[in-house]
Protein backbone atom coordinates (compact mmCIF):
# COMPACT_ATOMS: atom_id res chain seq x y z
CA UNK A 1 0.00 0.00 0.00
CA UNK A 2 1.04 3.61 -0.56
CA UNK A 3 0.51 5.43 2.73
CA UNK A 4 0.77 9.18 3.28
CA UNK A 5 1.52 10.34 6.84
CA UNK A 6 1.50 13.81 8.36
CA UNK A 7 3.52 14.02 11.58
CA UNK A 8 5.80 11.06 10.77
CA UNK A 9 8.53 12.10 13.23
CA UNK A 10 6.47 12.35 16.39
CA UNK A 11 5.92 10.02 19.34
CA UNK A 12 3.44 7.85 17.40
CA UNK A 13 4.59 8.63 13.86
CA UNK A 14 8.16 7.36 14.20
CA UNK A 15 7.39 3.82 15.35
CA UNK A 16 4.34 3.61 13.08
CA UNK A 17 6.42 4.60 10.05
CA UNK A 18 9.01 1.93 10.82
CA UNK A 19 6.35 -0.75 11.35
CA UNK A 20 4.65 0.12 8.06
CA UNK A 21 7.95 -0.02 6.17
CA UNK A 22 8.84 -3.36 7.79
CA UNK A 23 5.45 -4.67 6.67
CA UNK A 24 6.31 -3.83 3.05
CA UNK A 25 4.32 -0.63 2.62
CA UNK A 26 5.61 2.42 0.75
CA UNK A 27 5.45 5.38 3.15
CA UNK A 28 5.27 9.03 2.09
CA UNK A 29 5.50 12.06 4.35
CA UNK A 30 3.79 15.43 4.57
CA UNK A 31 6.17 17.99 6.04
CA UNK A 32 5.72 21.65 6.94
CA UNK A 33 9.30 22.42 5.91
CA UNK A 34 10.58 21.87 2.38
CA UNK A 35 13.15 19.10 2.31
CA UNK A 36 15.05 16.94 -0.17
CA UNK A 37 14.20 13.80 1.82
CA UNK A 38 12.84 11.07 -0.49
CA UNK A 39 9.09 10.52 -0.36
CA UNK A 40 8.51 13.89 1.35
CA UNK A 41 5.95 16.43 0.23
CA UNK A 42 5.52 20.02 1.37
CA UNK A 43 2.33 20.96 3.17
CA UNK A 44 1.32 24.35 4.55
CA UNK A 45 -2.23 23.89 5.85
CA UNK A 46 -2.59 27.49 7.06
CA UNK A 47 -2.36 28.62 3.44
CA UNK A 48 -4.04 25.65 1.78
CA UNK A 49 -0.82 24.52 0.09
CA UNK A 50 -0.01 20.89 -0.54
CA UNK A 51 2.53 19.72 -3.12
CA UNK A 52 1.94 16.05 -3.97
CA UNK A 53 3.03 13.87 -6.86
CA UNK A 54 -0.34 13.25 -8.48
CA UNK A 55 0.94 10.13 -10.22
CA UNK A 56 1.10 8.26 -6.88
CA UNK A 57 -2.21 6.73 -5.83
CA UNK A 58 -2.44 6.80 -2.03
CA UNK A 59 -4.31 3.93 -0.42
CA UNK A 60 -4.42 5.52 3.02
CA UNK A 61 -3.75 8.83 4.71
CA UNK A 62 -2.80 9.00 8.39
CA UNK A 63 -2.97 12.43 10.02
CA UNK A 64 -0.81 12.70 13.14
CA UNK A 65 0.44 16.28 12.84
CA UNK A 66 -0.49 18.71 15.56
CA UNK A 67 0.91 21.21 17.99
CA UNK A 68 4.16 20.31 19.64
Amino acid sequence: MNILISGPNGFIGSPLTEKLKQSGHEVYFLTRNKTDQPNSYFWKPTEGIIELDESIPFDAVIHLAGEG
Side-chain angles (χ1 to χ4, degrees):
M1 289 178 67
N2 291 327
I3 302 171
L4 181 65
I5 299 180
S6 66
N9 299 315
F11 181 72
I12 295 171
S14 291
L16 177 61
T17 296
E18 287 307 311
K19 182 68 174 173
L20 291 169
K21 287 180 178 181
Q22 290 172 3
S23 296
H25 300 290
E26 190 70 31
V27 181
Y28 299 86
F29 312 103
L30 280 178
T31 62
R32 294 181 191 167
N33 299 308
K34 289 196 176 193
T35 177
D36 291 334
Q37 179 183 2
N39 292 357
S40 290
Y41 298 102
F42 178 66
W43 175 49
K44 192 166 187 180
T46 57
E47 295 183 18
I49 298 170
I50 187 167
E51 298 174 357
L52 295 173
D53 181 343
E54 293 183 19
S55 69
I56 299 172
F58 295 110
D59 300 298
V61 176
I62 301 171
H63 178 56
L64 299 174
E67 292 296 320

